Amino acid sequence: MDGGTGGTGGGADGGDGEFEVQLGTAFGLTGGGPGPGPEVTARLVDGGLAAGRRRRRARRRRTVLLAGALTAAVAVGAGVLVVPRDLPGERTSAVELAHSGPDPDPAPVPLSDGVTVLLVGTDGALDARGGPVPEELLRGDLHSGAAGAADRPGTTDTLMLVHLPAGGGEVRELSLPRDVLAEDTDGREVGLDRIYPDAERAALESLGGDGVSGEALRTRAQEAGRLALLKSVERLTDVRIDHYAEVSMAGFYRTAQAIGGVPVCLNRAVDDPYSGVRLPAGRQELGAAQALAFVRQRHGVGAGSDLERTRRAQAFLAGVVEKLRSGGTLQSTARLDALYRALDGSLVVDRGWNPVDFVRQVPALAAGRGTLRTLPVTADGPGRYRPVAGAARRLLLGGDPATPAPSAPSASSVASVAELPELPEPVELGGVPCVD
Amino acid sequence: MEEEFVAFATARSGQLYRSAYFLTGGDAHLSEDLVQDTLGQMYAHWHRLNRPSWAGRIENPAGYAQTVLVRAYLTHRRRRSSSERPSRLLPEVAEDGPDSALRLALVEALSQLPPRDRAVVVLRYWEDRSVEETAAIVKDSSAAVRTRCSRALAKLRGLLGGDLAELVAR
């Protein structure tokens, strides 16, 4: 150690303290020199900026992840997922409340028979925590229309009941047309999609009058909307709902983003300026914005009714399941876990829901076995539909769905079901079904 | 917001780079990477400048960035401790003032120290942090920092000794 020998001599007369001073001075002297030079500085700043943007995107992507798998996974596979107990996300007590009152409930399905989940897609522009939508939604080409009004209670655009059989049979999904007539809390008949926003608005007014405000007001009003919807769907279908999951338009967008490229198949090319959807015919993968437009398109789909649109939603769901299945997500606890966590803030699920307990697995989901149907309705004037009595329970919970309802209210209503040209064909899981 | 950040990054990158250069024992490439990584983290956390203090506001972005840098370096060391890159080769830095001999001697000596000791020395004598601040940054106890410090000083003194006095006096 050459420097060492010389050094000991030099430092012998000074103590450690003196060396410390010298070292500090030395550092200080070097600090006075010119910096790294403008070129290097520019590289550092640019590189830092790029790294920062990557970080932000990664974080956003992580947040997004939750929502994505969710619609799909929760939607279809809620049961399937082995979810951590501390699952993030907003909680609603609507399910608990719906079954705690004096009202008669639909007979609970024995647990051994599986679980029924109500999946709700709203056109709300706020996420589950009341945070604003991602900016892409507002400035993008989403054509979200009036949904941009953030404070307006969102209508429930998509309503699906998903039944997960405990025994490992096929997953059954039943889409409820949003125009179907349902009883609201006062016993009046309104379109099913009005139940939630009407109850929410009523609660906003009455609670607002009581001096509740801000976040608490918003939350409590939404809870009132959820509760009303849940009860209304139970009355409509005579199916007891065990669990509730809600995704806003913002949440759906994030979900689609997280899943990344959902495969769908179109029978023919579409170009609809109303929803902003513009897609070629054939099989393709949809990005988040296109996915939203795909499920929202109403104009130019079949007869332009909501019944046709439900088929889009089902096809999308089938595509999501297919994507998650083929990518191995449905089979991997870790990936599902990551997906759930990514959905934080994008999803509302009920308080009592502990998927870990009831869902060991839904093998049918991982196997892609399931059928997506639409609630059969009878037309009762233009834009007014009534459900075929008993159909929901039969289609969702059991029996041979092909068998006609034993207690069909009247021959005429059954006949009009058959006459409805727009009643969509069932969509089968386990592939990418082609739709109009 | 972005303009504000760019102004900050431009103003601070020189200082961060010098720190990184000492921290890495003269590895210019790694220094650049570390500074970019640090600025990236600052960008991602930039909104915290406007938070209320109880919600984790960054009070002093410059100091915060130095802390981020040191931690980024230590993390980097941990990750690649097994595949250490020899940094004997001192690349030319884009600066050669009158003090370049001093800087080279200093970096040369620093590069002989174990990474954690080097980080402590850089924090204490280059950034003038107290023992307690240093301990908080490297997530160690004050006693451990003192121990590291005196061990490192002894080694540096052996390496530099009178050369340092000479160079400083020059």
Side-chain angles (χ1 to χ4, degrees):
Chain A
M1 227 198 256
D2 292 341
T5 8
T8 7
D13 44 324
D16 277 351
E18 189 177 335
F19 182 74
E20 278 190 87
V21 172
Q22 286 174 0
L23 188 62
T25 316
F27 270 121
L29 285 173
T30 65
E39 251 176 67
V40 180
T41 303
R43 206 156 64 216
L44 292 174
V45 173
D46 289 349
L49 211 50
R53 291 194 181 119
R54 271 198 305 277
R55 260 171 198 280
R56 280 209 178 162
R57 269 200 301 275
R59 186 177 306 171
R60 209 175 292 153
R61 209 174 301 133
R62 241 175 288 136
T63 337
V64 157
L65 257 185
L66 293 176
L70 227 139
T71 325
V74 164
V76 179
V80 181
L81 316 179
V82 182
V83 181
R85 274 161 200 276
D86 58 338
L87 171 69
E90 292 303 290
R91 297 279 162 164
T92 172
S93 37
V95 174
E96 222 176 298
L97 288 174
H99 299 141
S100 62
D103 298 351
D105 296 333
V109 178
L111 260 189
S112 59
D113 285 356
V115 176
T116 304
V117 182
L118 175 61
L119 292 167
V120 179
T122 74
D123 70 352
L126 296 179
D127 66 17
R129 298 237 167 91
V133 290
E135 64 229 44
E136 304 93 291
L137 251 177
L138 293 179
R139 69 166 151 69
D141 52 350
L142 287 182
H143 297 235
S144 55
D151 290 338
R152 186 177 57 83
T155 57
T156 49
D157 271 353
T158 305
L159 289 162
M160 293 176 161
L161 284 171
V162 178
H163 184 72
L164 306 162
E170 66 158 33
V171 175
R172 292 181 175 190
E173 184 270 347
L174 191 66
S175 291
L176 308 178
R178 62 178 202 176
D179 300 335
V180 77
L181 293 173
E183 269 180 35
D184 69 8
T185 38
D186 300 328
R188 278 177 310 217
E189 279 196 329
V190 296
L192 186 55
D193 63 333
R194 301 304 320 156
I195 302 277
Y196 185 148
D198 287 356
E200 184 181 353
R201 193 171 294 115
L204 275 176
E205 279 162 19
S206 73
L207 289 169
D210 295 346
V212 184
S213 65
E215 185 66 11
L217 175 62
R218 194 184 65 81
T219 310
R220 286 176 59 183
Q222 282 187 337
E223 284 292 280
R226 287 173 191 135
L227 181 59
L229 177 65
L230 218 139
K231 287 187 159 186
S232 187
V233 169
E234 286 193 336
R235 275 199 300 274
L236 184 75
T237 59
D238 193 31
V239 171
R240 183 187 169 101
I241 294 161
D242 303 297
H243 298 295
Y244 179 93
E246 176 189 313
V247 177
S248 68
M249 196 166 71
F252 177 92
Y253 180 83
R254 295 213 183 98
T255 304
Q257 251 186 344
I259 294 172
V262 172
V264 299
C265 172
L266 278 169
N267 288 329
R268 47 184 164 270
V270 295
D271 183 358
D272 171 35
Y274 293 94
S275 60
V277 65
R278 192 173 187 173
L279 301 165
R283 181 169 167 153
Q284 55 206 293
E285 297 219 330
L286 299 183
Q290 295 166 317
L292 192 56
F294 177 82
V295 297
R296 286 170 56 83
Q297 186 189 358
R298 184 166 187 165
H299 301 272
V301 182
S305 82
D306 186 60
L307 288 176
E308 281 298 329
R309 181 157 68 170
T310 60
R311 196 133 193 274
R312 283 278 183 91
Q314 291 170 336
F316 183 76
L317 200 55
V320 168
V321 171
E322 192 55 23
K323 172 91 176 189
L324 295 182
R325 208 168 64 87
S326 60
T329 305
L330 285 181
Q331 293 89 336
S332 157
T333 309
R335 289 199 204 172
L336 284 175
D337 183 26
L339 197 50
Y340 264 110
R341 292 189 176 283
L343 290 173
D344 189 11
S346 301
L347 175 78
V348 179
V349 298
D350 62 278
R351 257 179 236 292
W353 198 3
N354 188 339
V356 181
D357 283 351
F358 72 75
V359 182
R360 309 274 179 277
Q361 71 247 62
V362 177
L365 217 84
R369 276 186 295 123
T371 309
L372 316 180
R373 294 191 182 82
T374 302
L375 178 69
V377 292
T378 59
D380 181 17
R384 291 165 62 85
Y385 301 104
R386 291 182 189 285
V388 173
R393 201 172 163 94
R394 192 179 70 250
L395 289 175
L396 205 59
L397 302 184
D400 180 357
T403 319
S407 60
S410 73
S412 71
S413 67
V414 172
S416 52
V417 174
E419 283 160 17
L420 276 180
E422 68 265 53
L423 188 65
E425 287 291 302
V427 170
E428 298 290 334
L429 285 185
V432 180
C434 290
V435 295
D436 283 340
Chain B
M1 188 221 100
E2 188 143 316
E3 273 170 37
E4 223 179 288
F5 172 79
V6 170
F8 168 85
T10 310
R12 298 303 305 173
S13 59
Q15 185 71 10
L16 286 168
Y17 183 82
R18 286 195 194 100
S19 293
Y21 193 70
F22 287 133
L23 274 175
T24 59
D27 185 332
H29 279 296
L30 180 55
S31 298
E32 274 197 35
D33 287 352
L34 287 173
V35 172
Q36 291 186 350
D37 190 37
T38 300
L39 291 175
Q41 294 199 43
M42 290 305 292
Y43 181 82
H45 290 280
W46 200 248
H47 61 277
R48 284 176 52 191
L49 262 61
N50 298 319
R51 279 192 189 168
S53 54
W54 49 263
R57 174 166 61 199
I58 298 174
E59 306 277 354
N60 169 5
Y64 186 85
Q66 295 289 340
T67 301
V68 169
L69 175 74
V70 173
R71 291 196 178 148
Y73 168 67
L74 292 175
T75 306
H76 168 85
R77 294 298 318 181
R78 233 183 352 261
R79 284 204 189 124
R80 53 167 48 231
S81 54
S82 52
S83 61
E84 192 168 327
R85 185 167 4 158
S87 56
R88 302 294 309 154
L89 190 155
L90 295 179
E92 58 282 28
V93 198
E95 45 179 330
D96 49 357
D99 53 323
S100 65
L102 174 60
R103 188 198 323 278
L104 283 178
L106 203 51
V107 167
E108 171 74 12
L110 283 172
S111 70
Q112 310 281 311
L113 295 176
R116 237 181 140 72
D117 290 10
R118 190 161 59 229
V120 166
V121 168
V122 169
L123 284 166
R124 290 281 287 118
Y125 301 104
W126 162 243
E127 295 195 18
D128 285 326
R129 304 270 193 163
S130 70
V131 171
E132 286 68 31
E133 283 174 315
T134 303
I137 292 171
V138 302
K139 296 181 180 166
D140 220 336
S141 69
S142 299
V145 167
R146 280 202 188 86
T147 309
R148 274 186 199 284
C149 212
S150 63
R151 187 174 62 198
L153 281 180
K155 181 149 188 190
L156 286 177
R157 196 172 173 190
L159 290 168
L160 292 164
D163 296 354
L164 189 61
E166 250 174 64
L167 286 164
V168 169
R170 223 196 271 174

